[in-house]
Amino acid sequence: MAFQVCVTRELPRPALDFLRSQVQSFRVNPEDRALTPSELAARIQGCDGVVCTLNDRIDASVLDAAPTVKVFANYAVGYNNIDVPEATRRKVAITNTPGVLTDATADLAWALLFAAARRVVEADAFMRRGRFKGWSPMLFLGSDITGRTLGIVGAGRIGTAVGLRAKAFRMRVLYASAARRSEALERETAAQRVALDELLRESDFISVHAPLTDRTFHLIGRPQIEQMKPGAILINTARGPIVDEDALVEALRSRRIAAAGLDVFEDEPAMKPGLADLPNVVVLPHIGSATIGTRTRMAMMAAENLLAVLRGHRPPNLVNPEILTA
Ligand code: GLV
Ligand code: GLV
């Protein structure tokens, strides 16, 4: 059959070459920027399948504008950019890329944890400005990591991988997880599953790994930040809106908590006013899965999911299996 496929952003070459070899018509957004909603709706006209990214809002209006599309293969594990119930109602398949980005994202959460705890970015800027005049007993004192308490909010694949790495630093691991127990975490690190309140009160480092849903919006809000230890460090590599960023700016400014490391933002790509002026936050441009190997595997996975749907098979990473039975 003659399939038409549209890819909304340039992706790693091997996956694009593979897709191009498998379908009859193939279009990639040639520009290195996200499409506007109207451009998106226009570009995917007549397509059978779309590989989209977390910048593409796939809502009812986009679904209605492109009734030929049978699958949106999201190039991400998170799919809060897609109105899944609306897609399900129209029997449109939604797929994601779980698993392949777990380690890369967990590694980056640790990079932020180390950078925030040991003031790596601040100290680097100090060096580059030529301000280092010799070793000093009080220069850039940060926080200890080894032996302290790590609190994981959301212990799915990524949260578990972050917690497992804590073993190397002889840390006590707590986790709060609405969805499920993490047996691997409990077995490997003697992690304890606790209520979020207890995790907030007890942890020196708090790392967020929940999906963004109506229930996790501002899960870490003002009252939750209030419960944290004065020296606490908050890491977010999940989704910005899970943390109330205005409340976080205030808490960092007043030193109510020590520091934060953020790879995601509430109004991404914008930062809330004041955030970028604070020395005690490390900010990254949503690069959790950004390694050559990981992004290539994600792209292949998205391509395979898309092709499976077009060929009438069950895709390996179907987010809305209800479409098969409904
Ligand atoms: C990236 O944020 C993802 O969800 O894969
Ligand atoms: C995503 O991969 C998660 O379950 O953490």
Side-chain angles (χ1 to χ4, degrees):
M1 275 199 284
F3 297 127
Q4 280 198 41
V5 168
C6 171
V7 182
T8 66
R9 285 301 279 276
E10 188 74 38
L11 300 180
R13 261 280 57 94
L16 294 184
D17 291 344
F18 171 63
L19 261 182
R20 193 176 283 117
S21 74
Q22 300 295 308
V23 299
Q24 283 63 39
S25 158
F26 180 76
R27 277 177 281 160
V28 184
N29 170 12
E31 293 175 67
D32 187 22
R33 65 172 177 86
L35 298 172
T36 65
S38 59
E39 287 173 332
L40 176 68
R43 298 268 179 118
I44 66 178
Q45 288 301 319
C47 282
D48 302 292
V50 175
V51 179
C52 56
T53 75
L54 50 86
N55 292 318
D56 301 315
R57 239 230 84 79
I58 309 299
D59 56 14
S61 66
V62 170
L63 292 163
D64 285 340
T68 55
V69 177
K70 294 177 203 65
V71 53
F72 286 88
N74 211 38
Y75 180 65
V77 65
Y79 44 84
N80 55 286
N81 56 305
I82 301 178
D83 190 332
V84 177
E86 289 292 337
T88 303
R89 190 164 310 142
R90 293 164 177 78
K91 290 205 194 297
V92 173
I94 304 300
T95 67
N96 69 340
T97 62
V100 291
L101 48 64
T102 299
D103 285 323
T105 309
D107 291 345
L108 192 85
W110 276 93
L112 280 172
L113 189 156
F114 287 125
R118 300 303 304 272
R119 306 175 60 184
V120 170
V121 176
E122 250 185 292
D124 178 280
F126 176 89
M127 283 300 290
R128 289 169 198 267
R129 285 197 301 263
R131 293 180 54 195
F132 183 41
K133 302 296 180 223
W135 182 88
S136 159
M138 299 303 284
L139 193 59
F140 286 111
L141 304 190
S143 308
D144 283 317
I145 296 166
T146 297
R148 300 187 76 208
T149 299
L150 172 66
I152 308 275
V153 179
R157 286 172 287 259
I158 299 170
T160 295
V162 168
L164 293 178
R165 284 158 173 70
K167 203 172 168 180
F169 301 97
R170 301 191 300 279
M171 294 173 91
R172 173 183 177 223
V173 179
L174 303 177
Y175 75 100
S177 184
R180 51 193 151 170
R181 242 185 89 194
S182 175
E183 282 165 30
L185 206 51
E186 293 182 14
R187 187 176 61 242
E188 299 294 326
T189 69
Q192 278 175 274
R193 185 179 185 178
V194 297
L196 180 61
D197 290 353
E198 183 176 346
L199 180 146
L200 297 169
R201 285 195 304 270
E202 296 276 319
S203 300
D204 300 298
F205 300 94
I206 296 163
S207 193
V208 180
H209 302 287
L212 174 61
T213 64
D214 293 343
R215 290 171 53 195
T216 62
F217 175 80
H218 282 192
L219 179 68
I220 307 296
R222 205 173 296 272
Q224 287 70 35
I225 293 172
E226 281 303 313
Q227 293 180 70
M228 294 179 190
K229 289 184 179 182
I233 294 179
L234 178 69
I235 308 299
N236 188 5
T237 54
R239 285 292 181 268
I242 300 174
V243 174
D244 179 342
E245 200 172 307
D246 280 322
L248 179 64
V249 169
E250 274 176 44
L252 290 170
R253 185 182 287 134
S254 64
R255 304 273 167 173
R256 171 64 197 78
I257 66 170
L262 306 174
D263 187 41
V264 289
F265 303 89
E266 194 166 349
D267 304 323
E268 209 168 298
M271 289 186 276
K272 292 285 190 188
L275 188 69
D277 304 326
L278 297 170
N280 51 343
V281 61
V282 178
V283 285
L284 299 179
H286 203 149
I287 56 171
S289 65
T291 71
I292 296 164
T294 295
R295 288 281 167 87
T296 303
R297 285 188 289 276
M298 287 166 63
M300 287 303 287
M301 201 168 185
E304 280 159 9
N305 279 315
L306 178 138
L307 291 171
V309 175
L310 298 190
R311 290 170 180 158
H313 304 142
R314 183 186 175 125
N317 311 104
L318 184 61
V319 165
N320 54 347
E322 302 83 352
I323 63 165
L324 301 176
T325 51

